[in-house]
Amino acid sequence: MWGLEIFRRSWRGWIVALACLIAPASVSAQDEAGFQQYLVSLRQQALDQGVTRATADAVFPTLTYNARVVELDRAQPGANPNAPVAMFAPYRIKHVDTARITRGRNAYQAQRGRLARIESETGVPESIMVAIWGHETNYGSYTGDFDLLRSLATLAYEGRRRTLFSGEFIAALKILDRGIPREKLEGSWAGAMGNPQF
């Protein structure tokens, strides 16, 4: 009887261990399967919003789920709405130094015409665009290597900010429709906000 109880306990242990080994693959497969199902509705949404069928046909078959983008997005400061607000001074000291300000002034002067045109079209002040450009890409010196379309589609599927990321994904498709090559749409995923350079 005692031997039978030991067998039962060890058998349960083996089942639990096996389940733990299988679970990550199953979850990953489920994410990919769910992602591919989600793409059907995202494709229709893109077509309904004016993306050309040629662009949709070229992009959607290439998309796969990117778990790393979701992981990086969830690790960002501000991802937890209940976390305490961080102090600004240490952030400013680390990220707003004299060298970055100097590069910003030079970039601003070099791009005045383009910035003014974009401000008139969008209403976003030039100073805000230059500040974001400097912080996110160090004025174009770092653009990252994440495929922007794959990343945005993944974050839309993940669902916490589906409206935001599905909208950005469709906007990126429209950029392709305007003739910008897909290889130009890469981003750093330091904050799950892509930094396309074109």
Side-chain angles (χ1 to χ4, degrees):
M1 199 65 170
W2 176 249
L4 183 58
E5 184 59 28
I6 290 174
F7 175 76
R8 283 182 183 157
R9 286 184 184 173
S10 66
W11 179 250
R12 286 185 195 133
W14 280 105
I15 290 173
V16 169
L18 183 60
C20 289
L21 289 172
I22 293 172
S26 298
V27 168
S28 177
Q30 180 60 46
D31 284 340
E32 183 61 35
F35 178 70
Q36 292 301 322
Q37 288 177 346
Y38 170 69
L39 290 181
V40 174
S41 65
L42 186 59
R43 176 189 166 91
Q44 189 57 54
Q45 188 180 348
L47 293 172
D48 291 347
Q49 292 186 34
V51 172
T52 65
R53 191 165 299 279
T55 294
D57 289 346
V59 171
F60 278 89
T62 70
L63 297 174
T64 57
Y65 180 76
N66 188 339
R68 180 70 176 143
V69 168
V70 174
E71 178 186 330
L72 290 170
D73 182 51
R74 289 179 180 173
Q76 284 302 300
N80 178 359
N82 299 317
V85 176
M87 299 297 293
F88 180 70
Y91 175 88
R92 181 184 53 77
I93 290 166
K94 182 177 179 183
H95 295 282
V96 185
D97 57 12
T98 303
R100 191 178 302 256
I101 292 168
T102 300
R103 283 192 304 275
R105 286 183 177 140
N106 293 336
Y108 176 71
Q109 289 303 321
Q111 298 293 331
R112 282 300 307 275
R114 177 184 269 183
L115 291 166
R117 180 179 50 77
I118 295 170
E119 180 177 340
S120 71
E121 291 174 6
T122 66
V124 178
E126 295 175 21
S127 58
I128 299 296
M129 286 185 276
V130 171
I132 293 170
W133 183 28
H135 179 70
E136 295 294 330
T137 71
N138 198 14
Y139 306 102
S141 67
Y142 177 70
T143 58
D145 58 2
F146 283 86
D147 176 79
L148 194 59
L149 291 162
R150 180 182 182 213
S151 298
L152 291 171
T154 295
L155 290 168
Y157 165 69
E158 189 260 351
R160 286 179 305 134
R161 292 175 286 168
R162 177 162 287 170
T163 302
L164 169 70
F165 287 117
S166 62
E168 289 192 359
F169 174 79
I170 291 168
L173 292 176
K174 290 179 179 179
I175 289 171
L176 296 182
D177 276 342
R178 289 183 10 218
I180 303 298
R182 182 173 179 175
E183 57 270 14
K184 294 266 191 184
L185 300 181
E186 291 185 333
S188 67
W189 228 260
M193 298 302 290
N195 303 308
Q197 294 294 302
F198 31 79

